[in-house]
Amino acid sequence: MDLNNDNVMPMQFLISFDVLLRKYEAMADGDDPLLAQRAKEVLKAQEPYPVLRDGFTDPGILEEHKEVIQVILKDSFSEVLSDNEIKTAALPYYDLMFNASRRFQKILDNAGPDFELKIHNQENKEAYIMGCTVILNFYYGFKLDFSRPLYYQIPDANGVVRTYRILYNADFLEIKPTEKAKDLTQEDVDQLLEQPENLELWKEKIPPNSFISKGFVIANMFDVTTEHSISDIKTELIANNKRGSDTFIPQLEQIFQSFFKLKELQVGFVIFDSKKNRFEKVFGKGISSYILHDRDTASCNQALCPESFNQLIGENNYFVITDIDKYAERSGGISPYKELADQGFKSAILAPIAPQGELLGILEIVSTEKAVLNGVNATKLSDVMPYLEAAVLRSKLEQENLIDAIIQHECTTVHPSVVWKFQDEAKKFITDQIEDRQPQFNEIVFKDVYPLFGQTDIRESSRARNTAIQRDLMIQLSEVNRVLQAAFEKFKLPIYEELMFRVNNHMEDIRDVLNTNSEQSIFDFIQDEINPVFEHLKKTDKEALERVTLYEAKIDSGTESYYDHRRNYDETVMRINRKLAGIIDRRQVHAQEMFPHYFERYKTDGVEHNMYIGQSISETREFEPLYLNNLRLWQLQVMCEMENAYYNLKPELPVKLDVASLILVYNSALSIRFRMDEKHFDVDGTYNARYEVIKKRIDKSFVKGTEERLTQTGKLCIIYSQKKDELEYLRYIKFLKSKGYFTDNIEILELEGLQGVSGLKAIRAEILYQTGENKSKTYTYQDLVDEIKG
């Protein structure tokens, strides 16, 4: 047998004791008589067997000359330390070893006859490159840091896997080139270092068997099971998708078994919900809770006895049960002893996972053997708890993100006031997924809620938008005509004159009014017919190139057309919406503190908002009609603030537009349902649909018997149908008038019937405005207009 037969390494291995024997030769000529005598004995023992110095590749020779090799290695393997040191002679990166210490041999014997010793964390590719780095260092002289920890993992007599770190002593090894060895430059080495995973490149630069490794190494091993277990625990906890992994708990249990050196050991987790003061099962494959047993949730006093409660929650300290059966009997079968005893466990450690004193959950370590888990080995957990705490914090965040992702996917963004309802459904959804049931996100319905609707609308926004488009198109067509005119005058081609004729026709079409299809028609005309001509002109004539380039510089890359007036309009609308939305969003934070309610707002040409308030929306607080009254008054105030904010912003805007505001009062409670297909809340039921109809049509309503639009600049309109609502809002207006929100100009109006809706009335109240320069002075809208004109 030749140990190099299956070798795919940069070096051939030759077992030899020549380097060691040369050291003995030097000692034999030394001044120390004892050392010289010992060296001569070793050299004499070896002398009849030159193969041990010349080298050999047949591992059988190791057994054949076992006694002589023991003499040669006697000083390197101290007899008095053989029962303590974990040590063997070996070849590097090979699982061939000889002359092992008694302790190492005992470790291998305990592993069983079927155990095959292999370096745990090394693949064949890595071994080849590792061998190359050794050659680069010791033969070529390139200084590379190639050291990395190598491990054996060997089960003990109880089946617990132990980890041993390997440290090689290569003092008795030398490396020599063969005819296959190549000369390497710094450039070659740089190329190798840039591609550390490219095995073929390494084989090209340092071919297989291009060197001879002659000698042996001494492998010293150290039991690092505890340290390695801590590292493995950290690695396992860092891994993603632990909840969905079938192997997470078995692997973690195996690591903890090595950590505690106990085979019969199981690991469980339970999470703590501080809001509900209860323990909950972790949603994950194979993740059990032994204190909950067959329950999904349990309050603290149901899951823990007073003593364990105080230790775990009060003091955030370990709770150790060395004899579960004894304490179950003494306590009369209270928790957690009864649940643990019923499952056949005899000892347990419960460890609180409480980063910065906040209890997030409990690590449960249990065994079927009495007293093997105890107060002494519980202290070992101090080394791993920081990793557990970090993992649970991250897992908590992952669960929140997962819940949010499900809500986002199933329902889109939802308001914080109702998130709790979606979270409950998301948790059920996750549980169904894990337990291989068909997951279904149930519909979310809130019953008996009171609606509030308001909008601050940009007046005549469609006309302003059309005017901006019209002006941009006129300017662009005029510029196109200018280029075509110059081209016609120079080249006298009739086609340029014909194009100018069509450009003029387009300009005439939009001069007075912009038709529905005019914008697209002109865009297509320029793209399909003008732009190709301009591309031709750019190639034909230098002056035409300059004119076309000047024209193209004014074209917006996003819209591929002139975008000056439209940009001003769009910027105006964007700034108005941002300002108004910012005010109501900030004020909503305080409103939610008064009483939680559903809120949503939309930016269109202006800002509109919906609010729903009622008992079903609040998770914990009790609803009273007072909170509805309070929210209505709050809405009135905020609408006036939004009007004020706009008219302070107006002088800065590129386009001077106006806004008008209204509020819809609906005095009946209704139900809202989250529409899964449309991803938003809507009123539920045919009767309640009347509310949505009114919302969509009221901003177009007229005062009864006139052609006067209800909504007017400078006035807030409150639309209602019941007399009690009128009296309530007149009371609010009177109060806010005393605070400078309104003038005495208050109108009560009847509205023309809308399609499907009749009997509506409105209060129209004139708003007082405060300018930015003098907040103490107030103005009506007409005052503002007069002041600006003046």
Side-chain angles (χ1 to χ4, degrees):
M1 177 183 175
D2 189 325
L3 60 86
N4 290 307
N5 281 345
D6 298 322
N7 176 41
V8 184
M9 288 288 284
M11 71 274 283
Q12 293 178 310
F13 290 97
L14 195 64
I15 304 171
S16 167
F17 300 94
D18 184 48
V19 176
L20 175 60
L21 291 169
R22 293 204 301 265
K23 290 182 182 294
Y24 276 116
E25 287 174 342
M27 289 167 57
D29 295 332
D31 297 331
D32 189 322
L34 292 177
L35 289 179
Q37 179 62 34
R38 171 60 188 153
K40 291 175 182 178
E41 290 174 1
V42 171
L43 293 169
K44 184 178 180 181
Q46 179 273 324
E47 188 175 5
Y49 311 104
V51 68
L52 299 181
R53 187 185 282 269
D54 297 337
F56 53 91
T57 60
D58 181 3
I61 294 176
L62 291 170
E63 184 63 29
E64 182 181 341
H65 301 296
K66 181 177 179 181
E67 289 79 8
V68 177
I69 291 172
Q70 286 177 344
V71 173
I72 295 172
L73 297 178
K74 190 172 185 179
D75 294 334
S76 301
F77 287 77
S78 171
E79 176 66 21
V80 295
L81 297 176
S82 188
D83 290 321
N84 181 270
E85 290 185 329
I86 308 172
K87 190 174 183 180
T88 187
L91 290 183
Y93 316 116
Y94 256 70
D95 296 315
L96 172 69
M97 52 193 62
F98 53 94
N99 204 71
S101 67
R102 284 193 292 274
R103 184 178 176 190
F104 185 47
Q105 190 59 54
K106 185 177 180 181
I107 289 172
L108 293 178
D109 293 342
N110 287 338
D114 297 329
F115 176 73
E116 184 178 350
L117 186 68
K118 286 187 177 180
I119 295 175
H120 170 64
N121 57 328
Q122 177 180 274
E123 298 178 359
N124 291 335
K125 181 173 82 169
E126 291 176 345
Y128 191 97
I129 294 174
M130 185 75 75
C132 289
T133 59
V134 172
I135 292 168
L136 289 172
N137 272 270
F138 293 102
Y139 178 75
Y140 290 103
F142 295 102
K143 299 304 178 185
L144 304 177
D145 182 6
F146 62 92
S147 60
R148 58 163 298 195
L150 298 174
Y151 299 97
Y152 287 130
Q153 288 199 326
I154 307 172
D156 63 14
N158 297 318
V160 176
V161 176
R162 309 292 291 271
T163 301
Y164 301 89
R165 182 172 179 177
I166 310 165
L167 292 179
Y168 287 126
N169 180 337
D171 288 349
F172 311 121
L173 192 70
E174 58 185 348
I175 296 174
K176 297 180 179 181
T178 69
E179 69 279 359
K180 295 181 180 180
K182 298 181 177 182
D183 293 331
L184 295 184
T185 65
Q186 183 66 53
E187 184 179 350
D188 292 323
V189 176
D190 291 343
Q191 190 178 358
L192 290 171
L193 297 180
E194 289 172 0
Q195 303 182 58
E197 299 297 319
N198 189 343
L199 180 59
E200 294 307 313
L201 178 65
W202 286 82
K203 287 183 176 180
E204 176 191 335
K205 302 295 183 183
I206 307 177
N209 300 325
S210 55
F211 286 83
I212 293 175
S213 171
K214 183 179 179 181
F216 69 99
V217 296
I218 295 177
N220 292 279
M221 286 157 280
F222 303 89
D223 190 337
V224 293
T225 303
T226 300
E227 294 84 350
H228 199 267
S229 296
I230 293 173
S231 177
D232 284 347
I233 289 170
K234 181 179 177 180
T235 302
E236 192 67 24
L237 293 173
I238 287 173
N240 291 324
N241 193 30
K242 298 186 290 292
R243 296 169 184 272
S245 170
D246 291 316
T247 60
F248 170 61
I249 288 296
Q251 288 174 350
L252 193 63
E253 285 182 343
Q254 185 176 5
I255 295 167
F256 268 100
Q257 287 167 4
S258 296
F259 183 64
F260 280 97
K261 303 180 178 66
L262 297 171
K263 183 63 176 175
E264 300 302 322
L265 182 149
Q266 293 171 249
V267 176
F269 291 95
V270 65
I271 57 177
F272 178 66
D273 187 335
S274 58
K275 289 182 180 178
K276 299 176 181 176
N277 198 35
R278 71 182 187 185
F279 292 111
E280 297 180 354
K281 190 177 181 180
V282 178
F283 301 119
K285 289 186 177 180
I287 303 179
S288 302
S289 169
Y290 302 112
I291 62 174
L292 287 181
H293 191 18
D294 54 1
R295 299 170 292 183
D296 288 336
T297 64
S299 64
C300 291
N301 58 4
Q302 289 177 323
L304 300 174
C305 63
E307 184 181 359
S308 57
F309 179 91
N310 181 61
Q311 286 277 94
L312 292 165
I313 299 178
E315 299 180 10
N316 284 337
N317 204 352
Y318 305 140
F319 184 70
V320 181
I321 314 170
T322 55
D323 189 341
I324 291 173
D325 289 338
K326 181 177 75 173
Y327 284 96
E329 184 178 348
R330 280 187 183 180
S331 67
I334 66 172
S335 299
Y337 310 115
K338 180 180 184 303
E339 285 74 19
L340 295 172
D342 287 348
Q343 297 167 81
F345 299 120
K346 305 300 182 184
S347 60
I349 300 173
L350 305 181
I353 302 169
Q356 299 175 342
E358 179 191 359
L359 184 66
L360 300 180
I362 293 175
L363 167 68
E364 307 166 355
I365 303 174
V366 294
S367 174
T368 53
E369 295 183 40
K370 185 176 76 173
V372 295
L373 294 172
N374 51 65
V376 175
N377 57 16
T379 60
K380 291 163 63 84
L381 286 173
S382 300
D383 295 323
V384 300
M385 290 311 291
Y387 305 123
L388 279 165
E389 290 171 356
V392 171
L393 277 172
R394 191 179 68 254
S395 180
K396 181 181 179 184
L397 181 61
E398 286 174 356
Q399 176 166 327
E400 290 171 354
N401 291 339
L402 177 59
I403 288 171
D404 287 344
I406 291 172
I407 294 171
Q408 291 277 359
H409 181 266
E410 298 291 330
C411 319
T412 199
T413 305
V414 296
H415 191 260
S417 62
V418 295
V419 162
W420 63 273
K421 187 75 170 178
F422 289 85
Q423 288 174 336
D424 286 349
E425 288 300 328
K427 287 179 180 178
K428 295 176 185 175
F429 191 98
I430 294 170
T431 303
D432 288 344
Q433 278 186 324
I434 290 170
E435 298 182 1
D436 294 328
R437 296 195 294 264
Q438 184 65 37
Q440 181 177 354
F441 202 97
N442 296 322
E443 285 192 321
I444 306 294
V445 179
F446 294 101
K447 296 183 178 180
D448 297 325
V449 294
Y450 294 90
L452 296 91
F453 171 77
Q455 72 176 33
T456 300
D457 188 46
I458 298 174
R459 299 201 70 190
E460 299 183 343
S461 57
S462 297
R463 181 183 298 178
R465 183 187 293 107
N466 286 343
T467 299
I469 296 170
Q470 187 179 15
R471 289 175 179 173
D472 277 341
L473 291 176
M474 289 293 288
I475 293 171
Q476 184 172 4
L477 291 171
S478 297
E479 292 293 326
V480 169
N481 241 354
R482 191 173 291 113
V483 176
L484 292 173
Q485 180 69 39
F488 177 68
E489 290 175 358
K490 185 167 186 175
F491 299 107
K492 306 301 182 184
L493 294 180
I495 189 63
Y496 296 141
E497 188 176 19
E498 190 271 341
L499 286 172
M500 289 165 56
F501 172 75
R502 292 165 67 190
V503 169
N504 288 326
N505 283 342
H506 279 299
M507 293 175 70
E508 285 299 322
D509 287 343
I510 65 171
R511 192 178 304 278
D512 296 323
V513 62
L514 184 70
N515 296 317
T516 305
N517 63 342
S518 295
E519 182 181 7
Q520 186 61 48
S521 176
I522 293 171
F523 180 83
D524 292 341
F525 169 64
I526 292 174
Q527 291 290 316
D528 299 339
E529 303 193 47
I530 297 298
N531 286 349
V533 172
F534 280 10
E535 287 298 317
H536 166 74
L537 286 173
K538 286 162 65 176
K539 300 173 186 175
T540 304
D541 180 64
K542 183 177 180 181
E543 291 181 3
L545 170 63
E546 292 176 355
R547 291 191 183 95
V548 173
T549 302
L550 188 62
Y551 159 80
E552 290 177 341
K554 299 176 183 178
I555 298 296
D556 179 74
S557 59
T559 61
E560 298 185 41
S561 60
Y562 267 46
Y563 190 58
D564 293 337
H565 291 85
R566 275 176 287 182
R567 181 181 293 107
N568 289 338
Y569 172 82
D570 290 343
E571 182 184 344
T572 297
V573 172
M574 180 192 69
R575 290 184 64 183
I576 292 171
N577 286 346
R578 189 166 56 199
K579 186 72 173 180
L580 298 180
I583 290 170
I584 196 167
D585 286 350
R586 286 193 300 272
R587 297 284 274 112
Q588 254 292 302
V589 175
H590 179 58
Q592 291 293 337
E593 292 172 357
M594 299 178 196
F595 192 85
H597 55 278
Y598 180 76
F599 169 80
E600 62 183 357
R601 60 137 177 88
Y602 305 98
K603 294 178 183 177
T604 52
D605 286 347
V607 173
E608 65 180 51
H609 64 271
N610 290 303
M611 295 185 289
Y612 300 95
I613 188 169
Q615 183 62 66
S616 61
I617 287 178
S618 174
E619 183 181 12
T620 56
R621 295 177 61 181
E622 186 173 344
F623 175 74
E624 297 287 348
L626 171 70
Y627 294 118
L628 171 61
N629 303 140
N630 184 72
L631 192 59
R632 286 176 169 178
L633 177 58
W634 174 89
Q635 184 187 34
L636 268 179
Q637 290 176 283
V638 173
M639 296 289 282
C640 290
E641 289 174 20
M642 292 167 69
E643 285 264 355
N644 266 275
Y646 171 69
Y647 284 105
N648 278 285
L649 175 68
K650 184 176 178 180
E652 306 172 14
L653 298 174
V655 181
K656 303 300 184 280
L657 301 172
D658 286 314
V659 299
S661 299
L662 65 81
I663 288 172
L664 173 62
V665 182
Y666 199 76
N667 67 330
S668 300
L670 45 76
S671 296
I672 56 172
R673 180 184 298 271
F674 190 85
R675 307 293 179 185
M676 293 292 182
D677 51 345
E678 299 175 12
K679 308 296 184 187
H680 72 88
F681 276 103
D682 204 352
V683 295
D684 191 33
T686 306
Y687 173 76
N688 294 327
R690 180 174 182 269
Y691 172 72
E692 290 293 336
V693 172
I694 297 172
K695 271 172 45 180
K696 289 181 173 65
R697 297 175 181 171
I698 49 174
D699 63 332
K700 303 292 191 296
S701 57
F702 291 86
V703 176
K704 190 170 185 177
T706 72
E707 294 183 0
E708 178 187 347
R709 285 283 293 269
L710 171 64
T711 55
Q712 290 187 0
T713 301
K715 296 181 179 181
L716 176 60
C717 296
I718 302 155
I719 301 168
Y720 60 94
S721 61
Q722 301 293 321
K723 184 66 176 179
K724 66 177 183 177
D725 296 328
E726 176 185 303
L727 295 175
E728 180 182 348
Y729 274 86
L730 285 174
R731 190 170 73 246
Y732 297 155
I733 290 171
K734 184 177 180 180
F735 166 69
L736 294 176
K737 187 171 66 174
S738 70
K739 290 182 167 291
Y741 283 84
F742 296 107
T743 72
D744 290 327
N745 185 7
I746 309 295
E747 304 170 90
I748 296 178
L749 308 166
E750 290 188 38
L751 305 186
E752 287 286 0
L754 302 172
Q755 183 179 357
V757 180
S758 60
L760 294 180
K761 299 179 72 176
I763 301 171
R764 193 160 63 185
E766 187 175 38
I767 301 169
L768 275 174
Y769 296 93
Q770 298 173 330
T771 64
E773 301 84 23
N774 188 354
K775 293 289 186 181
S776 62
K777 188 175 181 181
T778 56
Y779 302 81
T780 65
Y781 173 73
Q782 190 58 47
D783 291 335
L784 289 172
V785 173
D786 293 342
E787 187 169 286
I788 293 169
K789 287 181 178 178

